[in-house]
């Protein structure tokens, strides 16, 4: 089989002009967007750290970072350095990693379930992770136990959701959402039951604030766990970008394009469960980030996963930094759970999405 | 099986086009035999129409040939190699499928859809040129940048055909590709397919389209081959009556000499 693509009549007359080709332009535009969003993220980290009591200057942030990396030795006071390095920077970086993780998870789940309303929250992953995490919190296992339990919970929820939704090897979008809802409610009930049964006083309040989503206690090890998960899982997912693209027209088209549909779905969704588990373990269940951000990104740059995944990560990180900054400053000194902020911003966006879909049909 | 002296526009058959041989293929779902020992042969570079009433197993047979369904028996051989024994990706380099009304929720440009055809191949800098050439072939080069969702049904099917062409297949499988298209697009799509010179197996609803475009037709009934051969031999009142349960009269198209069927009210 050689050149069926060009029939004899067209072979001479219509050379593809590569100079102004559409995807070449899209490529340049994508690089531009990634550079822009990376710059916005860096600026957001710097600014968000300065916001709050103690009147920090953006340069103080970089001085502190430079000092701790041994690149400089500035005259930053110990108090200011402590606020930057011990208090705010770990929290802001954790927020960024959690936002990136959730947005990437949402993008991949929307593709693999062919459902624009899919996100870790809606399909029960977050709730499943919460069950695991709360069980461990109450039993009181060390810091490594929490992410592992959250991952196990998320994976279990994923298996149950797809077992319920599966119909002859195909995942129908509506069934998947309904199955996810069922699993989500069941997990929430299980979480409530565990809390009712064993939590008292302080631990009750602590768990509740965590359940609503909070980055309050974020430490360097939290930031490390989620960043490691984002980088490792994100790299694998980006390397499978073309495979993810092939799912656009459904399972059977993906299959005829050479994709092993079931194996791919399970492998990638297990990775998504891992990432969700890491995010939930440090921040609790934060909704809507995974739903909204990928759509916003696709709206701007189209659906190619080579573009959507990195940009979702950057946009999710930036969004979460500012959501968390709002959460801790809006009613200072009281702190709003960040999940409340993302839900307040996210629910209207969700409604808009639903409306647009109805109008589009 | 005589190949009709076809007046249909046709590019020269690629000299290395392979033949498709389907030998005694069966497929069952939930314990019910849907495809029941089907055998057929598509000559290199020709087009065979798969006909039959609803539920006769046309789509299932196509999916079994495509490898989407694993056959419960029989072999599918393309140019001497067993498609069933091939890795999925290797198969996808040789076989492209256009399904009926395959659509998507995500925002995609036409060119992105066509580029999906390169999925089974190694990414290369010539991919985009191939995709644009394929769009040229189906007459949609100007719409490369358009949003998929703004296209009409006929345009979408042509984009899917361009995607399949970009896959550079040796075998093209079409599952009722002209469904819901107006008459112009029906004719245009099949004319484009014919012009490719690729070995083609197409499930078709419309007996007249099959008669006009196919070198050979295979009629399925209850998952078995009821009749096979040149359209003028197979599409005769007796076969149409026994398979579809309708009375038909056969005429000849004065311009092409091909059979035209008219049906009497039940």
């Amino acid at each position: 089989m050689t050149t069926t693509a060009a029939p004899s009549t067209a072979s001479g007359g219509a050379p593809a002009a590569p100079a102004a080709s559409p995807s070449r332009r899209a490529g340049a535009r994508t690089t531009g967007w990634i550079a822009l969003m990376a710059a916005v993220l860096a600026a957001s980290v710097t600014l968000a750290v300065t916001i709050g009591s103690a009147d920090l200057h953006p340069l103080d942030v970089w001085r502190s970072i430079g000092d701790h990396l041994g690149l400089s030795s500035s005259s930053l006071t110990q108090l200011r350095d402590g606020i930057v390095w011990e208090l705010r920077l770990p929290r802001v970086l954790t927020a960024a990693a959690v936002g990136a993780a959730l947005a990437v998870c949402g993008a991949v789940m929307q593709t693999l379930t062919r459902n624009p309303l899919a996100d870790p929250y809606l399909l029960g992953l977050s709730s499943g992770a919460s069950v695991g995490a709360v069980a461990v919190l109450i039993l009181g296992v060390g810091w490594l136990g929490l992410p592992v339990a959250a991952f196990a919970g998320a994976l279990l929820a994923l298996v149950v959701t797809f077992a319920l939704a599966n119909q002859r090897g195909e995942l129908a979008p509506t069934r998947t959402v309904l199955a996810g809802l069922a699993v989500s409610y069941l997990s929430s009930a299980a979480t409530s039951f565990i809390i009712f049964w064993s939590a008292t006083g302080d631990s009750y309040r602590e768990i509740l604030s965590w359940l609503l989503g909070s980055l309050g206690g974020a430490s360097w090890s939290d930031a490390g766990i989620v960043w490691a998960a984002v980088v490792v899982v994100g790299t694998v997912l980006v390397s499978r970008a073309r495979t993810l693209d092939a799912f656009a027209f459904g399972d059977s088209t993906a299959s005829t394009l050479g994709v092993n549909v079931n194996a791919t779905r399970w492998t990638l969704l297990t990775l998504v469960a891992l990432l969700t588990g890491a995010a939930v373990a440090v921040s609790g269940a934060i909704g809507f980030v995974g739903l909204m951000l990928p759509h916003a990104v696709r709206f701007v740059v189209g659906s190619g996963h080579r573009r959507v995944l990195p940009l979702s990560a950057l946009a999710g990180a930036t969004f979460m930094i500012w959501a968390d900054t709002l959460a801790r400053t809006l009613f200072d000194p009281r702190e709003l759970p960040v999940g409340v902020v993302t839900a307040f911003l996210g629910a209207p966006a969700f409604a808009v999405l639903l409306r647009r879909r109805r109008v589009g049909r | 099986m005589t190949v009709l002296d076809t007046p249909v526009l046709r590019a020269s058959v690629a000299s290395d086009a392979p033949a498709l041989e389907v030998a005694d293929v069966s497929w069952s779902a939930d314990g019910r035999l849907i495809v029941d020992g089907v055998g057929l042969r598509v000559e290199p570079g020709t087009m065979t129409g798969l006909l039959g009433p609803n539920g006769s197993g046309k789509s299932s047979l196509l999916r079994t040939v495509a490898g989407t369904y694993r056959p419960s028996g029989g072999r599918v051989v393309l140019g001497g190699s067993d498609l069933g024994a091939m890795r999925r990706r290797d198969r996808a380099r040789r076989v492209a499928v256009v399904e009926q009304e395959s659509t998507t929720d995500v925002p995609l440009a036409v060119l992105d859809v066509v580029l999906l055809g390169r999925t089974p191949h190694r990414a290369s800098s010539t991919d985009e040129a191939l995709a644009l050439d394929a769009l040229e072939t189906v007459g949609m080069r100007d719409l490369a940048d358009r949003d998929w969702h703004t296209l009409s049904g006929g345009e979408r099917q042509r984009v899917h055909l361009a995607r399949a062409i970009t896959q550079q297949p040796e075998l093209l499988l079409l599952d009722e590709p002209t469904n819901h298209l107006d008459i112009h697009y029906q004719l245009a799509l099949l004319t484009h397919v014919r012009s490719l010179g690729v070995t083609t197996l197409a499930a078709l609803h419309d007996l007249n389209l099959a008669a006009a475009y196919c070198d050979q037709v295979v009629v399925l009934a209850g998952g078995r081959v009821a009749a096979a051969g040149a359209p003028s031999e197979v599409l005769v009142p007796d076969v149409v009556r026994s398979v579809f349960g309708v009375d038909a009269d056969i005429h000849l198209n004065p311009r092409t000499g091909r059979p035209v069927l008219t049906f009497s009210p039940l």
Side-chain angles (χ1 to χ4, degrees):
Chain A
M1 168 74 197
T2 46
T3 53
T4 47
S8 48
T9 50
S11 56
S21 67
S23 89
R24 211 65 63 101
R25 259 182 284 134
R29 217 180 49 181
T30 306
T31 318
W33 271 108
I34 290 181
L36 176 68
M37 287 305 296
V40 169
L41 176 59
S44 298
V45 170
T46 314
L47 275 179
V49 170
T50 64
I51 291 174
S53 54
D55 207 17
L56 291 162
H57 190 273
L59 274 180
D60 293 343
V61 179
W62 290 104
R63 282 195 198 110
S64 170
I65 293 173
D67 290 355
H68 283 273
L69 296 179
L71 302 172
S72 63
S73 57
S74 62
S75 52
L76 204 61
T77 65
Q78 205 166 6
L79 178 68
R80 289 177 160 245
D81 179 64
I83 290 174
V84 172
W85 189 257
E86 302 299 335
L87 222 55
R88 298 226 182 115
L89 200 54
R91 177 169 184 160
V92 168
L93 288 180
T94 304
V98 166
L102 292 176
V104 167
C105 287
V108 173
M109 297 192 78
Q110 284 156 13
T111 298
L112 290 180
T113 62
R114 285 196 84 203
N115 193 323
L117 302 182
D119 84 337
Y121 210 82
L122 208 63
L123 291 191
L125 252 69
S126 297
S127 321
S130 295
V131 177
V134 167
V136 163
L137 274 180
I138 284 180
L139 295 174
V141 187
W143 66 271
L144 193 61
L146 193 56
V148 170
F151 168 59
L155 198 59
L156 186 66
L158 179 73
V159 171
V160 176
T161 296
F162 284 162
L164 288 174
N166 186 19
Q167 222 174 9
R168 282 200 211 141
E170 285 244 12
L171 285 173
T174 314
R175 277 180 75 92
T176 310
V177 166
L178 292 177
L181 272 179
V183 170
S184 193
Y185 280 122
L186 186 68
S187 310
S188 301
T191 307
S192 303
F193 183 77
I194 296 173
I195 295 173
F196 159 79
W197 196 250
S198 27
T200 49
D202 278 353
S203 73
Y204 184 82
R205 186 169 310 152
E206 187 188 330
I207 287 172
L208 192 67
S209 100
W210 180 84
L211 271 183
L212 291 170
S214 168
L215 291 151
S219 65
W220 276 109
S221 72
D222 290 338
I225 288 171
V226 191
W227 272 115
V230 166
V231 169
V232 172
V233 173
T235 308
V236 176
L237 291 174
V238 169
S239 78
R240 303 296 298 276
R242 285 182 90 201
T243 307
L244 283 165
D245 289 345
F247 275 85
F249 285 89
D251 285 9
S252 84
T253 300
S255 167
T256 66
L257 290 172
V259 175
N260 189 341
V261 170
N262 284 327
T264 304
R265 178 174 284 130
W266 282 109
T267 315
L268 298 191
L269 285 177
T270 303
L271 288 172
V272 165
L274 185 70
L275 200 48
T276 305
V280 169
V282 305
S283 66
I286 298 174
F288 291 106
V289 180
L291 176 70
M292 289 187 318
L293 272 297
H295 285 299
V297 168
R298 285 194 198 97
F299 190 71
V300 177
V301 299
S303 301
H305 286 81
R306 201 165 282 282
R307 293 164 252 168
V308 167
L309 293 178
L311 282 172
S312 292
L314 291 169
T318 305
F319 175 82
M320 189 64 100
I321 287 175
W322 290 111
D324 182 52
T325 304
L326 271 182
R328 69 180 164 85
T329 55
L330 215 50
F331 299 105
D332 195 38
R334 293 185 64 200
E335 192 167 297
L336 205 58
V338 67
V340 174
V341 177
T342 60
F344 263 126
L345 297 173
F350 191 84
V352 169
L353 188 69
L354 278 173
R355 265 199 81 71
R356 264 202 26 213
R357 263 174 68 75
R358 200 174 323 135
V359 172
R361 294 304 92 159
Chain B
M1 287 178 236
T2 47
V3 173
L4 265 193
D5 184 22
T6 170
V8 173
L9 219 156
R10 155 124 65 115
S12 59
V13 172
S15 57
D16 52 352
L20 170 71
E21 266 177 282
V22 174
D24 197 25
V25 161
S26 299
W27 179 75
S28 43
D30 300 336
R32 219 163 60 83
L33 202 54
I34 309 290
V35 179
D36 184 2
V38 169
L40 60 87
R41 180 182 162 84
V42 184
E43 296 299 331
T46 69
M47 174 157 158
T48 292
L50 212 47
L51 306 175
N54 291 334
S56 58
K58 300 188 297 285
S59 292
S60 301
L61 176 61
L62 273 186
R63 288 178 175 208
T64 311
V65 172
T68 309
Y69 294 162
R70 182 173 289 279
S72 48
R75 268 162 42 102
V76 179
V77 178
L78 180 67
S81 32
D82 186 345
L83 284 182
M86 238 175 241
R87 284 173 49 229
R88 203 178 299 261
R89 188 168 162 184
D90 295 331
R91 192 165 54 221
R93 288 180 182 156
R94 308 184 62 176
V95 183
V97 183
V98 175
E99 288 171 289
Q100 46 175 323
E101 292 189 273
S102 171
T103 190
T104 181
D105 272 323
V106 297
L108 278 175
V110 166
L111 186 66
D112 290 333
V113 177
V114 178
L115 279 169
L116 288 179
R118 299 311 293 166
T119 307
H121 299 272
R122 196 177 288 278
S124 141
S125 56
T126 59
D127 286 354
E128 195 174 311
L130 275 174
L132 290 170
D133 274 351
L135 279 172
E136 181 80 45
T137 305
V138 301
M140 296 213 18
R141 174 71 169 75
D142 293 343
L143 301 184
D145 276 335
R146 276 271 292 278
D147 180 355
W148 159 269
H149 295 275
T150 65
L151 300 182
S152 72
E155 290 169 333
R156 289 181 181 191
Q157 279 307 62
R158 285 197 283 166
V159 172
H160 274 308
L161 180 61
R163 190 259 302 153
I165 294 169
T166 307
Q167 218 168 323
Q168 295 187 309
E170 298 168 1
L171 172 66
L172 190 57
L173 300 173
L174 310 172
D175 190 2
E176 293 176 16
T178 55
N179 259 14
H180 306 298
L181 302 192
D182 67 37
I183 185 65
H184 175 85
Y185 278 131
Q186 293 185 11
L187 300 178
L189 190 90
L190 291 178
T191 303
H192 287 314
V193 169
R194 287 307 317 236
S195 73
L196 299 174
V198 177
T199 311
T200 302
L201 179 61
L204 294 169
H205 247 314
D206 188 323
L207 304 186
N208 282 314
L209 276 183
Y213 283 94
C214 296
D215 302 297
Q216 181 199 209
V217 293
V218 174
V219 180
L220 292 185
R224 292 162 171 272
V225 175
S232 59
E233 295 167 2
V234 172
L235 297 175
V236 294
D238 279 353
V239 172
V240 174
R241 162 110 219 130
S242 72
V243 173
F244 292 94
V246 297
D247 286 319
D249 293 293
I250 314 294
H251 317 271
L252 286 187
N253 183 322
R255 297 203 199 177
T256 66
R258 292 211 160 220
V260 175
L261 287 75
T262 54
F263 305 102
S264 307
L266 290 177

